[in-house]
Amino acid sequence: MAVDLDTIEKGDCRVRVTPGTGKVELRSTIESMYGDQIRADASAVLAQYGNPALDLLVEDAGALPFVIQGRVEAGILRVLGSPLAALPAAPAALDRNRLRRTRLYLPGSRPRFFVNGSLASADMVILDLEDSVPADQKVDALCIVRRTISAMDWEGAEVAVRLNQGAQGLQEAKALAKSGAHLFLVPKAESPAYLRELDEILESEHSDCGFFLLVESALGLELIFDLLTATPRNWCASLGLEDLLEEYGATRTVGGSESAWAQGRLLNACRATGTQPLASVCPIVDDESALESYAKAAMAMGFEGVGCIHPSQVAVVHRAMHPTESEISWANQVVKSVSDEVSVAVVDGKMVDAPALRKAKKILARAVIS
Amino acid sequence: MSVMNLTKNAVGREVPYRGYTGIYGEIPTGTKAGAPLRSVAQYPSNGDKRAANLVEAIRASGLKNGGTVSTHHHLRNGDEVAIQIFSACEELGIGDLKWFPSAVFPCHENLIPFLERGVIRSIEGSLNGPLGDYASRGLLREWSVLRSHGNRYRSIQAGEVHIDLAVIAAPACDSFGNMTGAIGPSACGVLGFAVADATYADHVIAVTDHLVDFPCAPWQIPGNDVDQVVVVDRIGDSSKIVSGTTVMTSSPERIRIGENVAKFALAAGILRDGWSFQAGAGGVSLAFTRVASQIMRDQGITARFVRGGSNKYLVEMLESGLAKVLLDGQTFDLEGVRSVRENRNHVMTSPYTSYNLHGKGHFASMIDLAVLGATEVDLDFNANVVSHSDGRLLHGIGGWQDALFSPCTVLAVPTMRGRVPILRRRLTTFCGPSELIDVVVTERGTAINPRRQDLIQKVEDAGMKLTTLEDLLHGAETLAGGAPKEADQSGDIVALITWVDGTILDTVRRTELPK
């Protein structure tokens, strides 16, 4: 292999854009198999930008088409500085109240890992444009992510994108409004006015995507009720404990007493506003029983999901959150007994009514095998 | 390499001669080839067969120009004997040799100068890495012949390949030539790939860096087959012979495939008390072994035997009682070496017992489940294991073709490698026929060969969902942006792909390698 290609990650590519005449030069590890296609894909992106006077050098180590096109596009944007070309709108089956037991981050700067992002079977996959992406990669990440979402089969997982903060986040939301993403993670949520701006942008793009608020600061937590009521798009919320505890000057412990109040405050505000509360990312990777305890404790408090940093955590959390046989049988009985016509019943010697019915339905939803 | 007449074999591939006719081919007649008869009068009566050094030993062997020299590959990428052999040959002015290794590794790149200088004229054996590229570029003067472990044994047994000199790297050896791989600083565990060489070669030299007092017991190869013993400083780099420890894969894709194989085995009723399986040492196999072990622990069942590629996970199964016996063809890590040394239920095998088609049965056909890889699979369940889809030689055949004889053969593969779909309409190189390939398990789903309605019925009755190769192909090509362009196979033949009976399945052609 040429020296150039050795410095490129397998499954990725590098694109250099220079003034020129629309020439596409390619060096690829799979030249004989996909060379013509890669050149055609790169030229197609140039065409989408009105065939500007640019030459491309594409160095490819087996990247999928949406990665190549995304990096070509980012290269063009860096030179032209123009807005993103429109892409056909992609459908997304939106479901505000779906299961979100687990969520897994995929850094937007490592597209080679996207294709297997669904294999861990997390309920939500988060394509990240924010903290895991270096500043000089953010344009590439946006361009690639925009083309990735509709190109892949996510096996029923919900696809979220974590936006950057401020004006950059607003631009990204506009670009991704019809990309096939289901919802957007809004990091360091602190400003109800900002949420309203985001909401307006999505409205203007005719998008019904939801928001997943990440509250990562003391101020954000103080304003939690205003944040959650700022727009009807707030589907779920979570605390960013790393940043928050740093601001507190506290140390994270296994017992979690240092964040107990903050978690309770978030949970309370979520339940008061009909927002799904999700527990923070769990850093425990090697200790299955400790992770199970974390998930069970979060569930006992009322949280409906846990953040994962590693695929191996997903199955463990799903197992921990799976209802017991007796819970399932109770839930089945409640669902049979309580309805619009029969609003109160007795199950296992206890009175059950509408709230029990809601709880029973949630239990049955968690009784999935994944 | 002149243009010659090619004829189509039974799977439609054009080959120069002796085309493949079917899985079992013809029943052989006649008798086995044999090593020359000798007398104890020709050997030291005190049993000390040591030569002064390798040069003197090869001189005394009578090896001439044009002869065939064989080696085994149990030292894997840590081998330092092959280069010593051909250096000695060059010193003696012997050249034009055919090298007949059981496999080659990247470290054997150091033999390219001997090819260029004509000390080695041709290589018959698995080609991959730098030597594979050398062959793909058409730089070998003769066609290479790729054989499975079983076919290599059979071809020696049949006299199709005549070994003038076998040089056997022996991690431990006594001066009589009794040798084992289970002890010594360069221990490699099993020495099975050298058994045919010891049995049939005209002359056998053992090379060791760990001479022990007679008897080196228990031995895998008896000194009665050995002519001379040479003691050298080092036969190999122990860190590259066996790994310090085998690390379980953390790749979500490989884990998912391993899980899917276990799910299939359970649904098909194959994973049950008293079963047996064979899995390699790759990531998918390890993931499968872990899941299968957990299922067995949960259900309180055990395996009659398992076959490897031994590694720490198979050793754990053996030592914890999950498997009664571990049949070992090749040892991959230090735990495997320790176990084969200490445990009588960790049994050294060879291609003679496991894989030889022309014998009175072989173990491969008795293993309930074989979990193998592949580089390509076509829509009829035929498969390729030696080349990339660009025609480049990637692997040797290894024991893959032999292991296909299991009553249930699973190819556990990802749907794509990078951008390239593994599934295709036509194989670049034909290595394994669909009659022997029962199931394809991928990270996206499992497909069962329509020839196996019995398996399909069983797993569907057990509630497992199946997919088809067509659907898997469609998914992969959608992601890839289409099918890959087929390899240009108009170039000169550089290698022949044999079947386990020695017939020719396909040819490998010269390719332009990417710069």
Side-chain angles (χ1 to χ4, degrees):
Chain A
M1 263 339 94
V3 171
D4 314 296
L5 295 179
D6 282 348
T7 61
I8 299 170
E9 247 187 14
K10 232 170 63 159
D12 208 335
C13 66
R14 186 164 58 214
V15 176
R16 294 195 224 263
V17 178
T18 50
T21 55
K23 256 186 19 253
V24 177
E25 193 191 327
L26 173 66
R27 282 183 218 142
S28 171
T29 56
I30 52 174
E31 165 70 57
S32 63
M33 294 185 271
Y34 284 101
D36 292 342
Q37 235 137 325
I38 296 171
R39 274 180 280 266
D41 283 345
S43 300
V45 178
L46 282 171
Q48 277 174 330
Y49 283 86
N51 290 310
L54 297 173
D55 281 348
L56 301 177
L57 168 59
V58 178
E59 294 165 300
D60 167 63
L64 290 175
F66 46 80
V67 178
I68 294 177
Q69 292 192 307
R71 291 215 186 274
V72 168
E73 184 168 45
I76 293 172
L77 286 173
R78 266 192 286 274
V79 172
L80 298 185
S82 65
L84 279 169
L87 288 180
L94 305 178
D95 181 0
R96 183 189 184 113
N97 296 314
R98 61 162 288 160
L99 266 188
R100 297 192 177 95
R101 297 164 299 169
T102 46
R103 57 192 190 273
L104 202 52
Y105 283 83
L106 296 174
S109 52
R110 312 290 298 285
R112 65 182 291 218
F113 295 117
F114 291 175
V115 72
N116 287 326
S118 63
L119 290 185
S121 300
D123 287 337
M124 181 195 297
V125 170
I126 304 168
L127 297 167
D128 187 25
L129 304 178
E130 202 225 3
D131 279 356
S132 67
V133 178
D136 63 348
Q137 297 260 347
K138 288 200 190 278
V139 176
D140 280 61
L142 173 62
C143 292
I144 295 171
V145 163
R146 188 169 77 124
R147 291 171 183 267
T148 297
I149 299 174
S150 55
M152 280 183 48
D153 174 6
W154 297 94
E155 300 193 347
E158 191 173 43
V159 181
V161 178
R162 182 163 69 172
L163 306 170
N164 280 288
Q165 296 174 71
Q168 192 172 19
L170 295 174
Q171 283 163 18
E172 289 163 353
K174 183 163 202 277
L176 296 168
K178 297 298 251 179
S179 62
H182 297 92
L183 75 170
F184 296 103
L185 267 74
V186 184
K188 303 178 177 59
E190 260 180 12
S191 160
Y194 181 79
L195 292 182
R196 282 189 283 274
E197 268 195 87
L198 260 183
D199 179 59
E200 266 169 45
I201 285 175
L202 292 181
E203 274 295 317
S204 68
E205 298 292 324
H206 309 291
S207 164
D208 291 324
C209 293
F211 293 157
F212 176 164
L213 300 193
L214 290 176
V215 177
E216 309 186 62
S217 68
L219 179 62
L221 196 55
E222 285 295 320
L223 297 176
I224 186 70
F225 187 77
D226 293 337
L227 289 171
L228 292 180
T229 52
T231 122
R233 288 182 196 270
N234 291 329
W235 292 355
C236 43
S238 178
L239 289 178
L241 272 186
E242 242 192 81
D243 283 16
L244 188 64
L245 291 181
E246 209 203 312
E247 198 181 344
Y248 281 6
T251 327
R252 193 159 184 176
T253 67
V254 171
S257 56
E258 70 284 347
S259 63
W261 178 87
Q263 299 209 47
R265 182 75 192 86
L266 179 91
L267 191 86
N268 196 84
C270 281
R271 293 305 182 199
T273 57
T275 314
Q276 190 185 49
L278 300 175
S280 306
V281 168
C282 177
I284 305 167
V285 179
D286 288 327
D287 186 344
E288 268 193 30
S289 68
L291 175 56
E292 268 196 56
S293 305
Y294 180 99
K296 283 191 148 82
M299 206 167 55
M301 261 193 87
F303 288 99
E304 296 187 23
V306 169
C308 298
I309 53 166
H310 192 275
S312 63
Q313 295 173 306
V314 173
V316 179
V317 173
H318 286 181
R319 216 170 39 235
M321 297 188 70
H322 197 274
T324 62
E325 284 304 319
S326 59
E327 281 179 314
I328 294 175
S329 109
W330 175 87
N332 278 324
Q333 284 184 73
V334 171
V335 165
K336 270 201 253 266
S337 323
V338 180
S339 62
D340 289 335
E341 294 83 37
V342 182
S343 61
V344 180
V346 174
V347 171
D348 287 349
K350 294 216 178 81
M351 188 203 81
V352 291
D353 55 3
L357 179 60
R358 281 194 294 274
K359 177 176 173 180
K361 283 182 178 167
K362 282 203 167 144
I363 287 174
L364 292 175
R366 272 191 286 120
V368 290
I369 303 157
S370 61
Chain B
M1 282 177 251
S2 52
V3 174
M4 51 188 319
N5 286 329
L6 301 175
T7 44
K8 277 210 167 97
N9 63 16
V11 287
R13 295 287 163 140
E14 300 211 315
V15 297
Y17 56 83
R18 211 175 156 200
Y20 169 82
T21 58
I23 322 172
Y24 292 101
E26 293 184 4
I27 306 294
T29 54
T31 55
K32 299 182 187 181
L37 288 168
R38 297 284 186 238
S39 164
V40 303
Q42 297 168 292
Y43 296 85
S45 53
N46 65 359
D48 187 349
K49 298 174 182 171
R50 279 177 294 173
N53 52 55
L54 192 53
V55 169
E56 291 312 312
I58 294 179
R59 191 201 309 276
S61 76
L63 180 69
K64 298 185 180 30
N65 283 344
T68 297
V69 178
S70 80
T71 57
H72 68 75
H73 71 279
H74 284 292
L75 300 184
R76 278 190 289 278
N77 205 33
D79 173 55
E80 290 173 11
V81 172
I83 191 165
Q84 293 185 58
I85 297 169
F86 293 104
S87 299
C89 289
E90 188 167 37
E91 204 181 307
L92 291 164
I94 307 173
D96 242 24
L97 295 164
K98 177 192 298 212
W99 182 27
F100 187 49
S102 56
V104 303
F105 280 80
C107 64
H108 296 121
E109 186 175 18
N110 60 13
L111 288 159
I112 289 180
F114 293 93
L115 280 163
E116 289 167 347
R117 292 198 290 273
V119 179
I120 304 174
R121 146 189 116 249
S122 71
I123 305 177
E124 265 190 45
S126 303
L127 287 178
N128 49 287
L131 281 175
D133 287 349
Y134 192 86
S136 285
R137 286 197 177 98
L139 295 172
L140 285 176
R141 280 185 277 149
E142 287 181 15
W143 295 342
S144 188
V145 180
L146 270 65
R147 298 183 174 89
S148 70
H149 295 324
N151 188 32
R152 182 180 186 271
Y153 190 97
R154 186 211 58 79
S155 67
I156 297 170
Q157 174 187 264
E160 287 166 20
V161 178
H162 179 88
I163 302 173
D164 297 296
L165 173 63
V167 181
I168 303 180
C173 189
D174 61 31
S175 57
F176 184 67
N178 297 311
M179 59 180 113
T180 177
I183 56 174
S186 313
C188 63
V190 176
L191 276 180
F193 298 131
V195 168
D197 310 54
T199 308
Y200 292 99
D202 282 355
H203 194 96
V204 178
I205 297 173
V207 178
T208 187
D209 57 7
H210 186 66
L211 189 74
V212 302
D213 291 334
F214 176 90
C216 173
W219 54 80
Q220 186 167 8
I221 292 176
N224 308 75
D225 286 336
V226 178
D227 291 273
Q228 302 181 76
V229 174
V230 175
V231 182
V232 298
D233 291 334
R234 243 166 88 111
I235 61 171
D237 178 348
S238 57
S239 68
K240 296 181 187 146
I241 297 173
V242 286
S243 76
T245 181
T246 300
V247 177
M248 177 60 65
T249 183
S250 58
S251 147
E253 181 186 75
R254 294 194 186 103
I255 290 171
R256 168 73 81 88
I257 299 171
E259 287 171 350
N260 285 348
V261 176
K263 272 198 192 120
F264 159 76
L266 204 52
I270 295 173
L271 204 177
R272 67 186 184 286
D273 195 32
W275 74 309
S276 60
F277 73 86
Q278 168 169 355
V284 170
S285 290
L286 294 180
F288 162 73
T289 301
R290 177 170 63 183
V291 177
S293 298
Q294 190 57 52
I295 293 173
M296 292 166 70
R297 273 190 288 269
D298 290 345
Q299 297 192 5
I301 60 181
T302 60
R304 262 180 313 123
F305 67 91
V306 295
R307 202 176 127 62
S310 66
N311 57 71
K312 110 175 186 201
Y313 295 97
L314 289 183
V315 169
E316 264 170 31
M317 287 188 78
L318 181 66
E319 291 182 343
S320 66
L322 280 182
K324 298 204 163 44
V325 173
L326 169 47
L327 296 173
D328 192 357
Q330 195 177 171
T331 317
F332 280 96
D333 63 19
L334 288 177
E335 271 297 278
V337 175
R338 175 191 64 76
S339 172
V340 78
R341 187 173 62 236
E342 295 174 358
N343 194 331
R344 53 170 291 178
N345 291 316
H346 186 153
V347 179
M348 297 179 174
T349 65
S350 75
Y352 178 61
T353 55
S354 308
Y355 289 152
N356 179 19
L357 184 78
H358 290 165
K360 300 176 185 176
H362 58 19
F363 295 167
S365 49
M366 296 156 55
I367 300 176
D368 293 330
L369 179 77
V371 183
L372 305 172
T375 56
E376 295 177 333
V377 182
D378 72 16
L379 295 176
D380 294 317
F381 286 84
N382 301 302
N384 175 7
V385 77
V386 302
S387 63
H388 266 308
S389 298
D390 57 6
R392 198 165 144 217
L393 272 171
L394 180 62
H395 293 147
I397 300 172
W400 187 86
Q401 287 174 334
D402 310 303
L404 295 180
F405 281 81
S406 160
C408 183
T409 302
V410 169
L411 298 185
V413 292
T415 52
M416 304 167 78
R417 284 215 174 85
R419 184 176 178 161
V420 184
I422 298 243
L423 291 153
R424 14 195 320 128
R425 289 161 194 79
R426 185 181 185 279
L427 300 175
T428 302
T429 313
F430 195 112
C431 297
S434 65
E435 291 99 308
L436 294 177
I437 295 168
D438 304 293
V439 187
V440 171
V441 175
T442 73
E443 82 286 5
R444 306 280 162 190
T446 295
I448 300 181
N449 192 329
R451 293 172 194 263
R452 295 303 303 268
Q453 288 299 317
D454 58 315
L455 282 177
I456 294 174
Q457 197 61 62
K458 276 218 90 153
V459 310
E460 284 182 345
D461 287 348
M464 178 173 165
K465 280 202 172 44
L466 293 172
T467 179
T468 62
L469 293 184
E470 285 77 9
D471 279 349
L472 291 170
L473 172 64
H474 178 77
E477 286 188 347
T478 303
L479 261 183
K485 200 154 88 169
E486 297 224 349
D488 175 10
Q489 296 186 300
S490 59
D492 292 336
I493 295 175
V494 297
L496 302 177
I497 306 296
T498 61
W499 177 236
V500 297
D501 65 354
T503 57
I504 314 289
L505 264 179
D506 205 347
T507 61
V508 179
R509 303 306 182 105
R510 192 172 154 178
T511 55
E512 284 304 316
L513 298 184
K515 301 269 178 303

